[in-house]
Amino acid sequence: MTTSSPATDQRAAADRAVADLVRGESVWAACGLARRRELLERVHTAVGEQAAAWVSAAAAYKRLPEGSQLIGEEWITGPYPVLTGTGALAASIRALEAGGSPVDAFTTRPAPGGRVAVRVLPHSTYDRLLLSGFSADVWMPPGVTTEEIRSRAGLALRRPEETAGVTVVLGAGNITSIPVLDVLYELYAHNRLVVLKLNPVTDGLLTVFRAVLAPLIDIGAVRVLTGGADIGTHLVHHPSVNHVHMTGSAATHDAIVFGTGTEGANRKRAGTPLLDKPVTSELGGVSPTIVLPGTWSDADLRFQAEHVATQRLHNGGYNCVASQVVIISSQWAQKDRFLVHLRAALAKAPERPAYYPGSDDRVASALSEYSGARRIGDRVLIEGLDAGAPGSALTTEYFAPVLGVLELPGAPGAFLDEAVDTANEKFAGTLGVNLIAHPRTLATLGPALDEAITRLRYGTVAVNAWTGVGYLTATASWGAFPGHTIDDVQSGIGVVHNALLLAGPERTVVRGPFRPAPRSLLAGEPSLSPKPPWFVTNRTAATTGRLLADFAAAPRWSALPAIFASALRG
């Protein structure tokens, strides 16, 4: 008797999954807005029910010790954004059901360069309390009017009966909300049925993800599979698959689209892809943090050093939008003191296992390439980078706990101009950029700050906040700056999240408080936010993260005191 191999069995399962979705397309087409909202609300409920198991499975594969404050990251980037995302998307569907637009309840304002911005955060009273001092605007491209924004918001949900076939989502292995959010966006924003192929790193979440997506699996709209690169290749080239969406690196994208080795490189140069179907993607890159010179207190220096350390070390450094290079002014009088605090913040952050494949090799590569590289615990700091010299720090995403420091000359205005040019022209990728500046510096810059934001070719720009806040804001768009092509993909093509279903957003601009409360209030900043729970140095991140996810599952006033108490102890 002959038996099939595991690989054969996996390919057969993949074929059955695609066939199921092809059959399920007529069922999904027949689901009107009310039915789609009801299914989404059931997913929301399932996420709340599975949240603890979700976090436990994520902590297991990342090898986080039980009781570690770092488990807060898994609450805040796992079930929490899926809960807020499903809630916001359901609200958009309700607006469409009522004959309106998802943006009707949101304000708009003029943005530089003939643009219109949609204020997506804060939106509710809960936002103003839980994220006091933070804001987010989605900028639309120049020339798009407010009425056009309103009439086009909703995307494929304006024509739910016009389905668009089957897509393969190649799931991320780092942030566990990404695969589920990508599935929901493909299904609801683009009307494509979805087969999700998990990254092997996250196979331990298979049971959780199937439980969370069960309402959509049951009607034949979603399938969730495991398997290696061979199964991913089989799926993306399947003749019944119409589209591919992936999260990963530009190198992985090119391997999928053009193939590997010399033949793949030749296809890319010739512009003749191996994959003959549309591909959208979110691919990361080398994200900079621009620190503008000013006169800061020692507490400000220490807090912002921890902020930068968080931007690099959150999730062990395995974030597509982790800051990889800090750009500071060589003429800043407090430069040396800031670097003392930055080294201390990197040393103070908890160490953790290098769970993502290849991390140790990438760390070793940075240490061997740069004479100014030094180990600080399990991470690396590279000082003395030169934007005019060849090197990997500005052109290769390390996806590891490696942070570089690049100095440029100039006082705030001239330095900012040079930093913007350097970030645009020298850095690989366009996903996110951070700017940190004292409120007095921002006031002095005036319109020059908006001009700098406008010039930065990045999908998310954060001022005194981490671009990760944009990722966590369900109503914000998330993705590369628009305009990339498959043969120069940079940080990807298309956007995700975008729960207002805005058509063709250009970028998200996030702003946050320069100082945490209570210092912010004493300095006259209108913010009640203490040290954010996503800081790697937050002592109560695990408790605060769990409480936030519980609140997102069932928003209620009675839950707020416990959240505030935990956050203040952080």
Side-chain angles (χ1 to χ4, degrees), residues 503-516:
E506 183 184 71
R507 74 184 87 192
T508 290
V509 179
V510 176
R511 298 175 188 263
F514 180 70
R515 307 175 180 89

Side-chain angles (χ1 to χ4, degrees), residues 13-32:
D15 289 340
R16 288 193 299 271
V18 174
D20 288 346
L21 296 174
V22 170
R23 287 191 296 270
E25 190 169 3
S26 61
V27 177
W28 183 244
C31 289

Side-chain angles (χ1 to χ4, degrees), residues 22-381:
V22 170
R23 287 191 296 270
E25 190 169 3
S26 61
V27 177
W28 183 244
C31 289
L33 292 175
R35 173 64 169 152
R36 294 187 185 200
R37 175 177 49 79
E38 185 264 336
L39 289 165
L40 191 64
E41 289 167 347
R42 287 171 56 195
V43 170
H44 179 94
T45 299
V47 174
E49 294 169 348
Q50 294 290 322
W54 183 327
V55 169
S56 179
Y61 89 78
K62 296 181 182 183
R63 305 199 300 279
L64 298 177
E66 185 176 349
S68 169
Q69 68 198 48
L70 298 174
I71 292 176
E73 294 177 357
E74 303 313 313
W75 284 103
I76 293 170
T77 64
Y80 174 76
V82 180
L83 288 163
T84 58
T86 49
L89 186 54
S92 290
I93 299 174
R94 280 194 292 272
L96 292 168
E97 287 180 81
S101 169
V103 298
D104 283 346
F106 292 78
T107 60
T108 61
R109 67 173 183 85
R115 294 170 173 86
V116 174
V118 182
R119 172 57 57 93
V120 297
L121 180 77
H123 178 59
S124 68
T125 302
Y126 291 144
D127 289 343
R128 291 178 175 86
L129 291 172
L130 293 173
L131 287 166
S132 175
F134 288 88
S135 68
D137 295 301
V138 177
W139 288 17
M140 302 302 290
V144 177
T145 67
T146 300
E147 182 50 40
E148 286 172 330
I149 295 170
R150 181 188 181 281
S151 63
R152 296 169 63 193
L155 299 177
L157 283 179
R158 289 190 170 273
R159 302 170 304 280
E161 70 285 353
E162 297 179 14
T163 54
V166 176
T167 190
V168 171
V169 167
L170 299 175
N174 56 339
I175 295 296
T176 60
S177 55
I178 293 175
V180 177
L181 289 171
D182 287 353
V183 166
L184 295 175
Y185 197 70
E186 287 298 317
L187 191 60
Y188 281 83
H190 297 301
N191 230 353
R192 293 189 276 251
L193 286 75
V194 184
V195 55
L196 167 64
K197 207 287 288 182
L198 298 184
N199 185 305
V201 175
T202 64
D203 281 356
L205 282 156
L206 175 64
T207 300
V208 168
F209 285 169
R210 282 180 171 167
V212 162
L213 294 167
L216 300 166
I217 292 172
D218 291 346
I219 66 164
V222 171
R223 291 290 182 267
V224 185
L225 302 175
T226 59
D230 58 327
I231 300 303
T233 300
H234 180 72
L235 282 167
V236 301
H237 290 283
H238 196 288
S240 295
V241 167
N242 308 89
H243 170 266
V244 175
H245 178 80
M246 65 162 292
T247 300
S249 68
T252 302
H253 170 275
D254 287 351
I256 291 169
V257 174
F258 296 102
T260 58
T262 302
E263 289 184 359
N266 289 339
R267 289 191 196 96
K268 183 177 178 181
R269 279 193 294 271
T272 55
L274 184 66
L275 189 63
D276 61 348
K277 56 194 70 176
V279 181
T280 54
S281 51
E282 191 263 81
L283 303 176
V286 177
S287 291
T289 295
I290 301 169
V291 180
L292 274 69
T295 303
W296 299 8
S297 71
D298 203 59
D300 294 336
L301 291 165
R302 183 170 55 252
F303 175 76
Q304 291 298 346
E306 290 187 23
H307 194 183
V308 172
T310 290
Q311 293 171 10
R312 175 68 269 183
L313 299 179
H314 183 278
N315 193 36
Y318 313 119
N319 285 339
C320 53
V321 76
S323 178
Q324 185 161 303
V325 177
V326 187
I327 306 176
I328 61 175
S329 171
S330 58
Q331 296 171 235
W332 185 19
Q334 294 179 297
K335 176 197 71 176
D336 292 337
R337 188 61 184 159
F338 175 76
L339 290 175
V340 167
H341 281 294
L342 180 59
R343 297 182 199 110
L346 292 171
K348 178 182 177 182
E351 295 196 11
R352 63 180 96 197
Y355 75 86
Y356 208 86
S359 175
D360 290 339
D361 290 340
R362 293 188 292 274
V363 168
S365 173
L367 284 166
S368 65
E369 181 176 359
Y370 290 100
S371 60
R374 55 179 286 199
R375 278 193 177 272
I376 301 178
D378 63 351
R379 64 263 347 207
V380 171
L381 180 66

Side-chain angles (χ1 to χ4, degrees), residues 359-417:
S359 175
D360 290 339
D361 290 340
R362 293 188 292 274
V363 168
S365 173
L367 284 166
S368 65
E369 181 176 359
Y370 290 100
S371 60
R374 55 179 286 199
R375 278 193 177 272
I376 301 178
D378 63 351
R379 64 263 347 207
V380 171
L381 180 66
I382 309 170
E383 298 189 54
L385 291 177
D386 182 350
S392 300
L394 275 61
T395 59
T396 302
E397 182 183 14
Y398 283 125
F399 215 68
V402 178
L403 179 67
V405 178
L406 171 65
E407 296 185 23
L408 298 174
F415 166 78
L416 179 57
D417 284 343

